[in-house]
Amino acid sequence: MKLFLLVAGCWITLLSTDPVVAQSKIDKSKMSFLVSCEQAASHYFHVEFQCAGIRKDSFDLKMPGWMPGYYQIMDYAKNLEGFSAEDQEGKSLKWIQVAKNSWRVYSKKTPFVKIIYNIKANTQFVATSYIGEERGYIAPCGVFLYVEGMLKHPASVTIRPLASWNRVATGLDSVKGTDHSFIAPDFDILFDSPILMGNLEELPPFYIKGIPHRFIGYHLGDFDRKVFMDDLKKIVEAGIAVIGDIPYKHYTFLAIGPGRGGIEHLNTCTISFEGGQMNNRESKVRTYSFIAHEYFHHFNVKRIRPIELGPFDYDKENRTRMLWVSEGLSVYYEYMVLSRAGLMNEEELFRAFQSNISAYENKPGHLFQSLAQSSYETWSDGPYGRTGDEVNKTISYYDKGPAVGLLLDFSIRNDTKNARSLDDIMRFLYYEYYKKKKRGFTEDEFRRACDSISGGDQAEIFEYVNTTKEPDYKKYLQYAGLDIDTMKTPVPGAYLGANVRDRNDSLFITSVEWNSPAWLAGLRGKDQVISMNGKKIDAKEWRGMLAATKTGDTVKIAALSANGTRKFDVALGARSERSFKISRIVHAAPFQTGILLSWLNGK
């Protein structure tokens, strides 16, 4: 399906995928892709990349190592198979692979080169491509090669779907008069434009200031579509209201069906979506929150961005200490957008922040890693922190980021007598750096913006960003007439502190909490549990046996590690946690209540 037809004639000529044009006299360079789906049953895309008019003795083709929005090296090149190159007469050209993601073609100044390859696509995830007999999804960084040094070159893409499929959906503009052909002004835009194909369903679009917003997906499920689209419009309107601008000509929500996660793009987002989750309040709010997060990202990270996040180096990590702004504040705004749209009530809003705060404060990682470090180390730690026993040393900027955002917002409102807010910071960054200077902002520029707009010194807030100092939650929440429970209370049941999982017919410890009875006894992640109290058990039995114990009891565990089999007598302890429950102060002052109400209503 052609999603948008606003195309100038010169673009159509420049980006033609007709091989006859490619074989004629070349005056300007042209690049085009043809993606075929005939091997869908085997989970392969077949790709032909036509490069016309480059006229070099040789040139290098590269595949990105990662996808913007997902801050992990993905090694997409490992899925490329059957690479070959030929000229306009179909004669083979010499080539060699010069790096794991780079191929050199000896083109001898020929005016036309066709690169042919297959992409293995069998993983259902928003950052990886997938194709099967029912649908296909292209994560562009893992499918499209680029000519080194020519990222700013335009490109076209033509999809040849299976005959049984009804639609091809993407945020790219369509080439007028063609089926399933699209254009990108450069490869950065191409890599930022996923493509979904198959038997898709498009819900009736809504318009805001004449701009169409579409929701298209695979296997959407059973839910009230009209209510959903009405609510989605409220989410988008509330998100736009934060910044006061709409920077795209059209926006498309791509629901990929089975899979995990969501990734933001300039005028699209890809999300895993199951409509059946819309049929109870808790899962509905969770789904709306997820969608609001990915939508708000088109402002915060795609346009309001740390300077390290674009232009991109697709070969290596693009590290920044400010993912807590890009991701953490997007979590903050997913909550605020839903609240302002009337889709999340006050209790649910407080509970969302409570969940974030308790998620890292009740884990030892907050003693070891700062919010800025969490941002910088995500390329090695993973977006949610390290796994195994190393999880004890990390936090997630998805948790602490929105908490610091909450404190910063209340601090600004208090310092300016409720005249300014975090919204003003976001608007300033958008108009000053994205619109005016056409670049990202530095860490110092972000800090200066916060100080300048608040009219004060936000040094304490940034201490919470750059160190492991515990935030003074009560101080900042009281500015808005709120209280927070930071008292430790006992957690019912005996405490061991080891998490387990069944693997085949064996039981393994996945992680051990730092300073827990299991940790102090010497148990560690990856140990294989041979027995508990002399009995071979699985994960269900492990939990059942622990549930029957009490504080002070001793459990006997035999475990196999790299050092052989060892026996552990572990005395079970007790555990206390803080709830961080947020509530209104009963007799708040009028100024405090004013801040709270303006915060809730987006004033």
Side-chain angles (χ1 to χ4, degrees):
M1 176 181 180
K2 292 186 281 288
L3 294 179
F4 208 71
L5 301 178
L6 183 60
V7 182
C10 62
W11 277 106
I12 299 171
T13 302
L14 176 64
L15 296 165
S16 172
T17 58
D18 188 343
V20 174
V21 175
Q23 294 177 42
S24 65
K25 184 178 178 180
I26 304 297
D27 296 317
K28 295 182 179 180
S29 59
K30 305 176 180 69
M31 296 184 188
S32 61
F33 293 89
L34 174 63
V35 182
S36 303
C37 303
E38 287 86 355
Q39 301 177 61
S42 300
H43 304 294
Y44 279 97
F45 286 109
H46 180 72
V47 184
E48 296 180 6
F49 180 20
Q50 299 181 3
C51 303
I54 296 180
R55 296 181 182 274
K56 292 183 177 182
D57 288 330
S58 67
F59 59 87
D60 288 354
L61 294 156
K62 306 191 78 172
M63 178 162 280
W66 66 287
M67 182 176 184
Y70 189 68
Y71 307 105
Q72 300 288 291
I73 295 297
M74 299 296 291
D75 191 18
Y76 289 120
K78 68 179 182 294
N79 296 316
L80 189 150
E81 302 177 10
F83 185 98
S84 65
E86 59 187 46
D87 63 16
Q88 65 266 37
E89 297 177 355
K91 295 180 180 178
S92 295
L93 295 172
K94 179 183 175 182
W95 62 272
I96 60 172
Q97 187 166 359
V98 293
K100 67 178 181 179
N101 70 326
S102 184
W103 296 259
R104 180 166 299 154
V105 176
Y106 294 92
S107 49
K108 299 180 180 180
K109 296 184 179 179
T110 183
F112 174 82
V113 175
K114 181 191 288 186
I115 310 299
I116 303 167
Y117 56 94
N118 294 318
I119 296 292
K120 182 72 172 178
N122 61 350
T123 302
Q124 300 181 59
F125 180 48
V126 290
T128 57
S129 298
Y130 175 83
I131 188 169
E133 293 179 283
E134 298 298 322
R135 73 191 187 285
Y137 169 68
I138 290 177
C141 287
V143 171
F144 300 123
L145 296 172
Y146 68 93
V147 178
E148 187 172 22
M150 300 185 74
L151 280 169
K152 294 305 179 184
H153 197 289
S156 70
V157 176
T158 297
I159 304 296
R160 189 172 289 164
L162 294 183
S164 59
W165 293 353
N166 68 350
R167 294 173 189 255
V168 176
T170 180
L172 291 169
D173 287 341
S174 299
V175 176
K176 189 175 181 179
T178 66
D179 290 329
H180 314 314
S181 292
F182 309 94
I183 62 170
D186 58 49
F187 276 77
D188 286 319
I189 298 297
L190 177 60
F191 291 151
D192 193 53
S193 303
I195 303 171
L196 181 66
M197 62 200 80
N199 288 312
L200 311 180
E201 178 183 359
E202 179 175 358
L203 304 186
F206 58 84
Y207 294 79
I208 299 175
K209 295 184 178 180
I211 295 173
H213 294 74
R214 296 181 168 91
F215 191 94
I216 304 172
Y218 169 76
H219 197 58
L220 295 181
D222 182 21
F223 62 102
D224 190 321
R225 283 151 168 75
K226 184 180 185 310
V227 169
F228 172 73
M229 290 302 286
D230 288 345
D231 289 346
L232 185 58
K233 184 177 182 182
K234 295 175 184 176
I235 291 171
V236 171
E237 288 174 331
I240 291 170
V242 176
I243 304 300
D245 189 35
I246 305 178
Y248 47 78
K249 298 176 182 177
H250 49 92
Y251 193 92
T252 303
F253 296 87
L254 292 177
I256 66 172
R260 295 170 289 120
I263 292 185
E264 69 279 356
H265 306 282
L266 279 169
N267 68 345
T268 58
C269 64
T270 49
I271 56 174
S272 55
F273 179 84
E274 296 180 30
Q277 295 183 349
M278 309 293 293
N279 296 319
N280 71 75
R281 175 71 186 181
E282 183 179 353
S283 60
K284 183 176 184 177
V285 170
R286 186 167 57 247
T287 298
Y288 282 173
S289 190
F290 173 50
I291 293 173
H293 178 95
E294 300 305 337
Y295 174 75
F296 194 76
H297 263 319
H298 86 81
F299 287 126
N300 189 31
V301 81
K302 299 308 298 184
R303 294 174 173 90
I304 303 170
R305 61 175 178 81
I307 202 163
E308 297 90 349
L309 296 184
F312 296 116
D313 184 335
Y314 293 103
D315 282 341
K316 64 181 182 180
E317 302 97 330
N318 289 217
R319 292 179 182 263
T320 174
R321 286 164 41 91
M322 291 189 288
L323 283 180
W324 73 271
V325 175
S326 298
E327 291 291 348
L329 293 191
S330 291
V331 175
Y332 176 79
Y333 275 104
E334 74 183 67
Y335 302 153
M336 302 316 301
V337 162
L338 290 195
S339 174
R340 297 169 187 179
L343 299 173
M344 176 183 276
N345 62 39
E346 183 177 301
E347 180 184 353
E348 291 166 332
L349 179 63
F350 292 168
R351 195 161 58 239
F353 287 112
Q354 173 189 344
S355 176
N356 286 131
I357 295 171
S358 61
Y360 69 89
E361 286 287 3
N362 285 318
K363 300 292 183 182
H366 75 278
L367 301 172
F368 295 94
Q369 189 178 57
S370 72
L371 189 51
Q373 288 172 325
S374 174
S375 300
Y376 190 81
E377 295 297 336
T378 190
W379 291 92
S380 49
D381 290 350
Y384 296 96
R386 301 170 199 168
T387 58
D389 295 331
E390 287 297 300
V391 73
N392 293 305
K393 298 179 182 179
T394 63
I395 61 170
S396 171
Y397 45 73
Y398 286 101
D399 288 323
K400 192 172 182 180
V404 169
L406 178 67
L407 306 188
L408 177 59
D409 200 349
F410 287 160
S411 181
I412 295 168
R413 291 174 185 271
N414 181 73
D415 289 350
T416 62
K417 297 183 179 177
N418 206 24
R420 310 296 287 273
S421 72
L422 185 57
D423 291 5
D424 292 287
I425 304 292
M426 304 305 287
R427 283 191 286 269
F428 173 79
L429 296 173
Y430 178 80
Y431 287 101
E432 178 68 15
Y433 294 103
Y434 168 66
K435 297 281 280 189
K436 181 181 176 181
K437 296 184 177 178
K438 303 185 185 305
R439 65 170 174 86
F441 50 86
T442 68
E443 199 168 352
D444 286 342
E445 287 168 339
F446 179 80
R447 170 70 184 274
R448 289 199 299 270
C450 292
D451 288 346
S452 175
I453 288 174
S454 68
D457 186 349
Q458 300 299 326
E460 187 172 60
I461 294 292
F462 283 90
E463 195 174 5
Y464 302 151
V465 172
N466 296 310
T467 75
T468 58
K469 179 180 178 179
E470 181 175 331
D472 189 344
Y473 300 104
K474 281 185 174 289
K475 169 185 172 180
Y476 290 94
L477 266 64
Q478 283 177 358
Y479 292 156
L482 298 175
D483 194 15
I484 185 169
D485 184 0
T486 58
M487 297 295 293
K488 286 190 174 182
T489 57
V491 176
Y495 176 48
L496 175 63
N499 302 300
V500 297
R501 178 179 297 171
D502 292 321
R503 190 182 306 156
N504 297 324
D505 62 346
S506 300
L507 180 66
F508 287 87
I509 296 176
T510 56
S511 63
V512 180
E513 296 176 29
W514 179 72
N515 238 14
S516 66
W519 180 275
L520 296 175
L523 287 164
R524 294 293 182 268
K526 298 183 181 179
D527 286 357
Q528 179 183 345
V529 177
I530 305 300
S531 66
M532 177 185 282
N533 293 339
K535 179 183 178 183
K536 179 178 170 61
I537 58 172
D538 58 19
K540 182 179 179 180
E541 291 170 317
W542 168 281
R543 289 187 290 270
M545 292 179 71
L546 289 178
T549 63
K550 60 183 182 297
T551 301
D553 287 352
T554 297
V555 292
K556 297 181 180 294
I557 299 173
L560 175 64
S561 69
N563 297 320
T565 301
R566 298 174 60 196
K567 294 182 178 180
F568 303 85
D569 291 345
V570 188
L572 301 179
R575 183 177 187 177
S576 295
E577 287 187 350
R578 294 180 286 177
S579 71
F580 295 99
K581 182 178 180 180
I582 299 171
S583 58
R584 287 197 186 210
I585 295 173
V586 176
H587 300 294
F591 177 66
Q592 293 173 303
T593 302
I595 288 181
L596 177 62
L597 293 179
S598 63
W599 174 69
L600 290 171
N601 297 319
K603 301 296 186 181

